[in-house]
Amino acid sequence: MLWVVYRVFDRNAEFDAGDALQDLHSLTLKDGDNGLHGFMTSYTILSAFCKEPPSEGIQRSMNLREFKKAPMLSKILARYEEHPVGAPERSFQWLWSMASDKVDKRRKEQHRKQYEIALQGGEKRFALAASERPKDGKKPCFRFQLGQCKEGNK
């Protein structure tokens, strides 16, 4: 039985490395700024499966192509383009670290906003006005309370 479990989870290293490299080349950034964290996480995971990571130039060109789809990286990309080829600021490592910092900063800001909303009691839900309540004393349907009922306040 233990052998069956082992075989199910056993990795074929050659197969994984080839697939990871192919998947790395086909990885695309979807949803602009919102998809940047997912893209970078997927790229990191797929890179870990490669026996040898792609060269600096290939990594730079692959990520540069996708980073251009994220408006929040426009200033970083402009700074990247200002430097001559061979400068430390024109490397994959620099580009990746700047993008990572930007993504981390954005995630922290979003978490902070959500935390502040939670501290204030969450999203506010207001009671129905007296004119919107049913006349017979029953509670309105759940969809009406959400503003989605098509039958009114029956």
Side-chain angles (χ1 to χ4, degrees):
M1 180 68 180
L2 188 57
W3 177 252
V4 173
V5 172
Y6 171 77
R7 295 284 304 192
V8 168
F9 292 103
D10 185 27
R11 290 186 2 190
N12 180 342
E14 185 176 317
F15 179 77
D16 287 344
D19 279 352
L21 191 57
Q22 187 175 7
D23 291 344
L24 201 58
H25 285 288
S26 62
L27 188 63
T28 58
L29 172 63
K30 295 177 180 81
D31 200 21
D33 291 341
N34 296 328
L36 193 56
H37 179 259
F39 169 79
M40 293 180 77
T41 302
S42 297
Y43 189 89
T44 302
I45 291 168
L46 290 171
S47 294
F49 278 106
C50 295
K51 286 184 180 180
E52 293 179 20
S55 70
E56 166 89 13
I58 291 173
Q59 286 183 337
R60 185 176 56 241
S61 65
M62 284 175 20
N63 284 285
L64 192 59
R65 175 189 71 215
E66 298 305 318
F67 284 172
K68 288 180 180 178
K69 297 177 184 177
M72 73 187 245
L73 296 180
S74 60
K75 290 180 183 177
I76 292 171
L77 293 172
R79 282 179 50 200
Y80 171 84
E81 295 292 335
E82 289 174 358
H83 296 285
V85 175
E89 292 85 5
R90 185 114 183 197
S91 67
F92 168 72
Q93 293 299 338
W94 183 87
L95 188 61
W96 188 264
S97 68
M98 295 301 289
S100 294
D101 290 347
K102 191 75 167 178
V103 167
D104 288 342
K105 183 178 178 183
R106 182 169 187 244
R107 286 182 65 225
K108 287 177 184 176
E109 288 172 358
Q110 288 175 338
H111 285 242
R112 183 66 192 164
K113 286 178 186 174
Q114 291 172 352
Y115 182 68
E116 288 173 1
I117 290 171
L119 286 176
Q120 295 171 1
E123 294 182 13
K124 303 293 183 204
R125 295 195 180 227
F126 299 100
L128 296 174
S131 62
E132 294 177 332
R133 293 185 186 151
K135 308 284 188 259
D136 58 4
K138 293 181 185 175
K139 286 187 174 182
C141 73
F142 182 71
R143 289 186 182 263
F144 179 76
Q145 293 176 20
L146 294 175
Q148 300 172 347
C149 184
K150 295 177 183 171
E151 297 182 26
N153 60 352
K154 291 184 176 183

